[in-house]
Amino acid sequence: MGPVAIKLCFVQGLPCVRARVTSWGRAITSHHGAETGAIDTAEFRHTLGHFVTGVTVVSYAPADGSEFRGTTVNSFTSVSLEPPLVLVSLSKTSRSSAAIKPGVPYAVNVLHHGQRDLAMHFAGRPKPETRVDWEVRAGVPHLAEAGAFFRCVARDVHDAGDHVLVVGLVEEFQAHGHPPLLFYRGTFEHLRDAAAEPDADREFYFDFPELW
């Protein structure tokens, strides 16, 4: 990012901060107390995309007993170790947000780099040749051969703008060590195979309280 000029200003008596990129990038003005319409949501989403994430599928069994369902989600994060809590952010327009209420079990499946087709399938762009293999644990559907999974029970659901935040208590988890599927700036990426590099040649950081 280029040099940024920042100055204090006032809009209708309210303080704001104006940041102007002086050589390259995008200029953004943020107003204190401004409504959502004050920013370009497309540009906001584009900028959020610079934070690389993994890709998950949140899966569950509908209450009506119909076929298993899932939705592709990259807004997934750890919350607590004791008790073990994780969080996913679900669009209010999705079937998953309507189905997953406090007390409802579900799974978070972490996709590996060979499961891009499943990411697309559960994002609403299925292809006829995509095969979905399910495993059921304690009544909860999981994607077979995912890189990792967390079987959860929804503990709290919080309203958050056009999404809901589901905090789940983890009851079972497992990881298989496959290189992850990544999402960065609107496209799927993959990581080099970490297993190809001996542990002795890498540095591990387990002592930072906010890095898991």
Side-chain angles (χ1 to χ4, degrees):
M1 183 174 180
V4 178
I6 299 176
K7 68 176 182 178
L8 182 66
C9 61
F10 290 86
V11 176
Q12 296 181 343
L14 296 175
C16 70
V17 174
R18 285 184 176 173
R20 180 171 56 85
V21 180
T22 57
S23 60
W24 66 87
R26 303 275 182 182
I28 297 175
T29 300
S30 176
H31 303 294
H32 176 73
E35 297 296 330
T36 303
I39 69 169
D40 186 318
T41 54
E43 289 297 332
F44 180 49
R45 183 171 185 169
H46 171 75
T47 304
L48 289 173
H50 284 69
F51 181 68
V52 63
T53 70
V55 183
T56 75
V57 169
V58 176
S59 57
Y60 59 98
D64 60 10
S66 58
E67 65 181 7
F68 299 147
R69 292 177 182 166
T71 185
T72 300
V73 174
N74 76 323
S75 294
F76 164 67
T77 187
S78 52
V79 174
S80 169
L81 294 178
E82 297 180 4
L85 301 175
V86 295
L87 178 149
V88 292
S89 178
L90 305 174
S91 171
K92 287 182 177 178
T93 62
S94 67
R95 293 185 299 184
S96 57
S97 67
I100 301 177
K101 303 297 184 182
V104 171
Y106 64 97
V108 180
N109 306 270
V110 180
L111 301 186
H112 62 67
H113 70 96
Q115 294 179 313
R116 175 177 173 173
D117 57 336
L118 291 178
M120 296 296 290
H121 179 86
F122 288 104
R125 297 184 183 179
K127 294 182 179 180
E129 64 271 20
T130 299
R131 176 178 174 177
V132 180
D133 293 325
W134 295 103
E135 294 179 353
V136 180
R137 295 173 181 262
V140 180
H142 297 252
L143 291 177
E145 300 181 356
F149 75 83
F150 300 86
R151 178 167 57 81
C152 310
V153 173
R155 181 167 174 172
D156 301 292
V157 178
H158 304 279
D159 185 275
D162 55 11
H163 280 61
V164 294
L165 306 180
V166 179
V167 178
L169 178 67
V170 177
E171 296 189 330
E172 183 184 5
F173 60 91
Q174 188 174 25
H176 300 287
H178 304 310
L181 179 65
L182 304 179
F183 196 68
Y184 175 63
R185 297 178 63 183
T187 188
F188 293 108
E189 302 285 354
H190 68 274
L191 189 68
R192 61 173 174 76
D193 187 355
E197 183 178 347
D199 287 352
D201 296 335
R202 291 186 288 155
E203 290 187 78
F204 292 87
Y205 303 96
F206 298 121
D207 56 346
F208 294 160
E210 299 305 335
L211 292 179
W212 304 93

